Amino acid sequence: MADQEGIRPVGCGYGLLGLCCVSCLRGPCRRSPFDDAGSGKFCGEDSDWIVAHNIMQRVSLESLQTMAAFQNALEQASDPESRKETARLDDMKALLSPFSRGENALPDVLSPEQAFPFLHSMEVPVGSWITTLLDANTERPPEMRSAEAKLVTALRLSAMALAAEALTRELAGSMPEEIDVALPDSPSPLLLLLSDDGGLQDDGRDALMKEIDTACRGEARIYRLPHAALLPSFARRVFAKWGIPVSMTKSIAVVFSSSMIRGLGALALGFSLVSLPGYPVQGSPLVEKYLAQDLKRKFGHAYLTVPPREDLCEAILRSLTS
Amino acid sequence: MKRVLVFHPERCLMCLSCVLACQLKALGVEDPRDPISGRKPPQRLSMVLVEGTPWASRCRHCLQAPCAEACISGSIVRDEESSAVLHHPETCVGCGTCQLVCLFHALSRDEKEDCMVKCNLCLEDQTPSCVIACQTGALALSSGDRHAQEKKRNYAKEMTGDRGNG
């Protein structure tokens, strides 16, 4: 049995469920998953809001870090001696302008509507990414206060951050604009195994990857990707080859990362997601339902919640063959 | 062997991890992320603030337990070996008399099972879940009345002004 607990030992129960809130200095508040009286927050927010807000805060912070890395790469690439294409560089710079809300052609090139219908249903940012990030962190009642709106924003920011990571690597010369992967001739489920380099040494992820690889080899074509920045290009390649968005292929990305933008970014691009460690979402039935069921019903892909003692390989196989 | 649950309020951060661990144990769930399908656990341990100081509201396993004396079905008995007041839900009729006489509000009603519930010190486990969950050592398991004796000694010292027996 593929044991997920090798990746993360059980820690704070409230934290694992996403029900620990530190959004003000009167906290931390912990809300009981059993809705006990007296376990509420000082501000009275419910468990759905707390879980979604925690996700949003984490994604915002990680997006900010990604944007900072992108800015550094852009500054270096803007050096007169580097021979980068000026028009593309200007488009990239406009993405980082805090004063631009105007149209920018680059996001549409990176995520064309036909290839990424889910992303476009969430109004993928067409202007500056920095403006989107700042707007997302400005409380705009009442619509931004809902848990679902927060989740949509978190997914949108994650996709944006993944695209920024890809551009950063492109500028550094460590990744081409488009990757060339060999895909089967006709549409079939793909299983992408991704591991970033942020894990602890010998945390069991290599063994787990091998186990998933062996168990699922018969059901899906398996690809091992060294980092999540390749995902947008991979999804574009799927669309170029088969003419359908990746969300219609039952493809799954298994993301081994402690960063949330990588997994949620994969989900926003249209891959079903298995994240290791899993995300702290079980504290909110609404959040869990949105990520695991609503997306599946509307777009065909979803976040796969795998309970800790359930066999991971079986869960992946079930999703590939369902 | 005697089994005593000791609470150190000065170490408690009110994180409520003990409460969650106790609730999950009652449901037979090992990990909070395991599906619980809307079930609600009975309350055997709760944390309250008394004038700003954390306090664990749970059964004190009294030497002369009023709940055991009041129980009409003999479901609450004192186990001398473990020094615990044990509740047997299988014979409990849920009359609630124990709840009325308990000075510490340590008993509650399990509406689903229609019987009372209280802390049985998890005698079946080597260490109770609440103690395992407590990361600051505010809840600790002791095998004797060392803590009580120590408190009595300190109190005696205070009363005698450190003059000792003489």
Side-chain angles (χ1 to χ4, degrees):
Chain A
M1 176 178 155
D3 181 16
Q4 308 164 59
E5 290 307 309
I7 298 297
R8 179 174 66 174
V10 170
C12 164
Y14 295 93
L16 288 176
L17 296 170
L19 289 172
C20 186
C21 181
V22 286
S23 60
C24 74
L25 289 177
R26 298 182 73 190
C29 296
R30 293 170 177 88
R31 198 174 171 95
S32 167
F34 306 109
D35 259 344
D36 290 345
S39 76
K41 285 184 38 142
F42 290 111
C43 58
E45 297 293 358
D46 59 15
S47 49
D48 298 326
W49 187 91
I50 296 175
V51 172
H53 183 71
N54 283 340
I55 293 175
M56 179 61 199
Q57 282 206 319
R58 202 184 160 103
V59 166
S60 293
L61 180 67
E62 289 177 16
S63 301
L64 208 55
Q65 290 163 345
T66 314
M67 291 304 153
F70 181 35
Q71 185 198 25
N72 286 341
L74 255 179
E75 277 174 0
Q76 283 173 12
S78 302
D79 190 279
E81 286 179 18
S82 77
R83 292 173 187 168
K84 298 279 179 191
E85 191 190 330
T86 321
R88 194 167 167 89
L89 278 183
D90 287 343
D91 278 346
M92 289 188 199
K93 282 178 191 167
L95 287 175
L96 287 180
S97 164
F99 305 108
S100 160
R101 285 182 192 274
E103 296 270 324
N104 186 323
L106 198 50
D108 258 344
V109 174
L110 297 172
S111 340
E113 186 167 4
Q114 284 175 314
F116 301 96
F118 175 52
L119 211 50
H120 282 261
S121 77
M122 297 188 296
E123 294 171 14
V124 63
V126 287
S128 155
W129 285 344
I130 288 292
T131 311
T132 310
L133 189 55
L134 293 175
D135 284 349
N137 282 281
T138 313
E139 291 286 350
R140 284 177 303 172
E143 69 276 12
M144 269 302 289
R145 305 270 311 158
S146 88
E148 199 168 310
K150 277 187 181 294
L151 283 179
V152 168
T153 310
L155 283 164
R156 196 192 302 150
L157 289 181
S158 302
M160 199 174 84
L162 265 196
E165 273 195 5
L167 291 178
T168 305
R169 285 176 187 269
E170 181 194 319
L171 288 169
S174 61
M175 201 181 95
E177 261 178 59
E178 298 298 335
I179 56 167
D180 187 24
V181 284
L183 294 170
D185 291 333
S186 58
S188 60
L190 310 172
L191 183 62
L192 277 58
L193 302 176
L194 281 119
S195 171
D196 67 11
D197 45 11
L200 300 169
Q201 272 190 340
D202 196 26
D203 63 359
R205 64 172 72 181
D206 285 341
L208 196 49
M209 267 195 184
K210 210 173 277 178
E211 206 171 328
I212 295 169
D213 191 324
T214 312
C216 302
R217 191 148 284 280
E219 296 297 337
R221 176 77 74 93
I222 295 173
Y223 298 86
R224 285 203 186 202
L225 302 183
H227 49 78
L230 289 165
L231 283 172
S233 174
F234 196 102
R236 287 196 294 272
R237 174 88 183 107
V238 166
F239 183 74
K241 173 90 177 172
W242 296 334
I244 54 171
V246 75
S247 55
M248 291 173 68
T249 64
K250 286 190 183 176
S251 296
I252 299 176
V254 182
V255 180
F256 292 79
S257 172
S258 53
S259 153
M260 226 173 201
I261 50 170
R262 306 210 165 110
L264 287 183
L267 191 63
L269 292 175
F271 293 95
S272 282
L273 169 68
V274 172
S275 171
L276 291 153
Y279 295 151
V281 296
Q282 281 104 322
S284 160
L286 186 142
V287 171
E288 207 180 354
K289 181 173 162 287
Y290 176 80
L291 293 176
Q293 295 171 26
D294 295 356
L295 286 188
K296 181 95 182 161
R297 203 175 53 247
K298 285 185 197 163
F299 297 94
H301 65 295
Y303 170 66
L304 306 181
T305 316
V306 187
R309 257 159 288 282
E310 198 175 315
D311 191 329
L312 192 62
C313 295
E314 271 182 28
I316 295 172
L317 277 171
R318 214 170 30 245
S319 177
L320 285 171
T321 54
S322 65
Chain B
M1 196 171 74
K2 271 193 172 180
R3 199 170 163 103
V4 182
L5 198 59
V6 187
F7 179 63
H8 302 281
E10 71 281 6
R11 286 172 165 252
C12 178
L13 303 176
M14 282 294 277
C15 74
L16 306 179
S17 296
C18 53
V19 177
L20 182 63
C22 180
Q23 289 175 319
L24 295 175
K25 170 83 198 296
L27 292 177
V29 173
E30 281 184 43
D31 189 290
R33 292 164 295 173
D34 285 331
I36 51 167
S37 60
R39 288 179 294 157
K40 277 208 166 193
Q43 189 178 320
R44 300 182 294 199
L45 167 69
S46 61
M47 297 298 301
V48 288
L49 278 175
V50 181
E51 293 177 2
T53 304
W55 194 246
S57 180
R58 90 277 184 209
C59 177
R60 307 299 181 77
H61 300 276
C62 308
L63 285 174
Q64 284 183 315
C67 57
E69 288 169 10
C71 181
I72 59 166
S73 61
S75 301
I76 301 179
V77 287
R78 188 167 173 81
D79 177 41
E80 292 303 335
E81 194 192 338
S82 60
S83 189
V85 176
L86 301 181
H87 172 245
H88 299 280
E90 63 279 5
T91 51
C92 177
V93 293
C95 66
T97 317
C98 51
Q99 197 177 20
L100 287 174
V101 298
C102 178
L103 301 172
F104 303 105
H105 310 290
L107 292 109
S108 61
R109 174 181 281 279
D110 183 348
E111 295 296 345
K112 193 171 165 250
E113 299 294 329
D114 202 19
C115 69
M116 308 308 290
V117 282
K118 71 178 272 302
C119 165
N120 268 2
L121 283 178
C122 291
L123 291 184
E124 66 281 11
D125 299 335
Q126 197 177 3
T127 310
S129 317
C130 55
V131 175
I132 295 172
C134 182
Q135 297 293 304
T136 60
L139 272 174
L141 189 68
S142 167
S143 57
D145 54 2
R146 188 172 56 85
H147 288 273
Q149 295 294 351
E150 203 175 299
K151 276 186 185 172
K152 283 177 193 165
R153 262 198 302 276
N154 288 340
Y155 184 67
K157 267 186 196 171
E158 268 179 38
M159 295 302 287
T160 57
D162 242 345
R163 280 180 282 118
N165 288 335

